[in-house]
Amino acid sequence: MPRPATTLFEDAIDIPLWLEPDGLTSHAEPSRRDRDIGLKLESRDSLQRVRGWWRAVASEEPGAGARLDRIRAAITAIVAMLGAALGASVALAAFQYDGSQPVNVVRLIALLVIVPALFLLASLLFLPGRVPLLRGLQDLIAPLNAGALALAVFRRLARASPELGVAFDWRAGRSSTGRFAKWQLMRWSQVAAVGFNLAALATAALLVTFTDLAFRWSTTLDADPQVVTRIVHAIAWPWHALVPSAVPSAELTAESQYFRLDSELASGRALAAWWPFTLLTIVTYGLLPRLVLLVVAGTRLRAAERALLLDDARVTALLVRMGWPGLATAAVR
């Protein structure tokens, strides 16, 4: 019966553990076995050779990697759900409308765009890793980062050995384990943020569809409607050519300022014209950057998983015993 397919993460955990020196009966026996398996493998890619060797020698029983991978998947789902719940709650607060006072566009953008953008900047501070200038700031904001909190919960639930625990410590620096933990942290952060923005967008769309919303803008600052119009048009620039109807006009901006409202205008359909602008603002400045970072984090996390496996000294020794094509090429030179 063939061994069930395993993820790269599982292999990065299980293979080095299996290769512990005290698990080998003698040097000659594993060398002969690994050389024979290596001769049967057609791929010259180091990762494929190691994983092909693993399929040949591993038992069908799941190892520690499978348990950790299940925990990791569960935390990913929980992080996404918590982000979505928070996004829906914030959207309900931002779009709160009881018929007496229209939705304040300024407060809406502050809650659904500006505040999440600050958390985005906080996440970006983890990208360079543990560089000296950022260590203090990273440690300060880590309790506010969803990915760092998820990583801490993961380490507690995993109850891993000290050796495995290092692989989940984002403070480990520029080692392969540190890079893996950093990108796992980043991926969980983006999963939470994407869940937040998708839920906020869905909640906003449902409220626009099934309720009769009216919008206004107000601030305690002495804001000139012409200046506000220029700011609004600057915000709407990414979509102004594609969806011109989602760019509030100067007339709408002037008429929807709070102190200009009267009872008739407050209930009129003119004020509802703000909704396309608000939804596209959430998409452009909230959701899209997080989706891009989610793709980047996922790509870099897989690369980090590869390095976590191949950079291990025990795996390097295995490749040598298998007749690593890279070593043969280097010898010819």
Side-chain angles (χ1 to χ4, degrees), residues 122-144:
S123 292
L124 293 177
L125 290 175
F126 289 89
L127 282 178
R130 297 289 284 175
V131 296
L133 294 177
L134 293 179
R135 287 179 182 175
L137 187 57
Q138 289 170 340
D139 291 337
L140 180 64
I141 65 176
L144 302 177

Side-chain angles (χ1 to χ4, degrees), residues 6-38:
T6 55
T7 65
L8 178 55
F9 173 77
E10 290 180 56
D11 291 350
I13 297 297
D14 289 335
I15 293 175
L17 291 179
W18 197 90
L19 287 171
E20 282 290 341
D22 59 359
L24 303 177
T25 57
S26 68
H27 180 72
E29 180 180 343
S31 296
R32 184 168 52 251
R33 177 202 63 207
D34 298 341
R35 179 65 177 175
D36 291 342
I37 295 175

Side-chain angles (χ1 to χ4, degrees), residues 13-299:
I13 297 297
D14 289 335
I15 293 175
L17 291 179
W18 197 90
L19 287 171
E20 282 290 341
D22 59 359
L24 303 177
T25 57
S26 68
H27 180 72
E29 180 180 343
S31 296
R32 184 168 52 251
R33 177 202 63 207
D34 298 341
R35 179 65 177 175
D36 291 342
I37 295 175
L39 291 174
K40 298 176 183 178
L41 298 174
E42 297 180 357
S43 175
R44 297 179 65 84
D45 178 73
S46 300
L47 179 63
Q48 295 303 320
R49 290 178 69 80
V50 171
R51 300 188 78 186
W53 168 88
W54 182 235
R55 286 191 293 271
V57 303
S59 66
E60 296 180 6
E61 293 296 325
R67 183 178 71 87
L68 296 181
D69 205 28
R70 288 194 298 271
I71 295 174
R72 188 171 71 150
I75 290 179
T76 300
I78 292 172
V79 164
M81 289 188 292
L82 290 177
L86 181 61
S89 300
V90 173
L92 287 173
F95 283 90
Q96 184 178 6
Y97 177 54
D98 59 4
S100 60
Q101 295 293 334
V103 178
N104 190 342
V105 177
V106 175
R107 185 185 66 177
L108 187 151
I109 294 177
L111 288 175
L112 293 179
V113 178
I114 296 178
V115 172
L118 294 176
F119 281 96
L120 172 62
L121 292 176
S123 292
L124 293 177
L125 290 175
F126 289 89
L127 282 178
R130 297 289 284 175
V131 296
L133 294 177
L134 293 179
R135 287 179 182 175
L137 187 57
Q138 289 170 340
D139 291 337
L140 180 64
I141 65 176
L144 302 177
N145 186 286
L149 293 174
L151 201 59
V153 171
F154 177 81
R155 294 184 67 186
R156 180 176 292 274
L157 292 178
R159 297 190 301 275
S161 65
E163 179 186 11
L164 290 180
V166 175
F168 314 120
D169 186 4
W170 61 272
R171 298 179 176 87
R174 295 185 178 276
S175 64
S176 58
T177 55
R179 290 195 301 271
F180 166 79
K182 180 188 77 172
W183 288 110
Q184 181 65 78
L185 180 155
M186 285 297 297
R187 186 172 185 272
W188 273 330
S189 295
Q190 306 323 309
V191 167
V194 168
F196 175 94
N197 284 283
L198 284 176
L201 189 62
T203 302
L206 289 173
L207 290 174
V208 166
T209 303
F210 296 105
T211 60
D212 185 16
L213 295 179
F215 296 83
R216 63 173 172 86
W217 65 270
S218 65
T219 173
T220 55
L221 302 176
D222 185 15
D224 186 342
Q226 293 182 354
V227 174
V228 173
T229 299
R230 288 196 291 269
I231 295 174
V232 168
H233 286 182
I235 294 173
W237 184 86
W239 65 80
H240 77 281
L242 296 175
V243 193
S245 61
V247 182
S249 64
E251 293 77 11
L252 176 62
T253 304
E255 291 175 354
S256 56
Q257 189 173 8
Y258 177 67
F259 68 85
R260 294 182 184 273
L261 293 176
D262 55 36
S263 58
E264 181 179 355
L265 186 59
S267 61
R269 293 182 59 85
L271 296 187
W274 278 97
W275 74 261
F277 169 81
T278 60
L279 295 189
L280 284 177
T281 299
I282 297 171
V283 171
T284 304
Y285 298 102
L287 180 60
L288 290 182
R290 292 296 193 166
L291 286 175
V292 171
L293 277 178
L294 179 61
V295 172
V296 171
T299 302

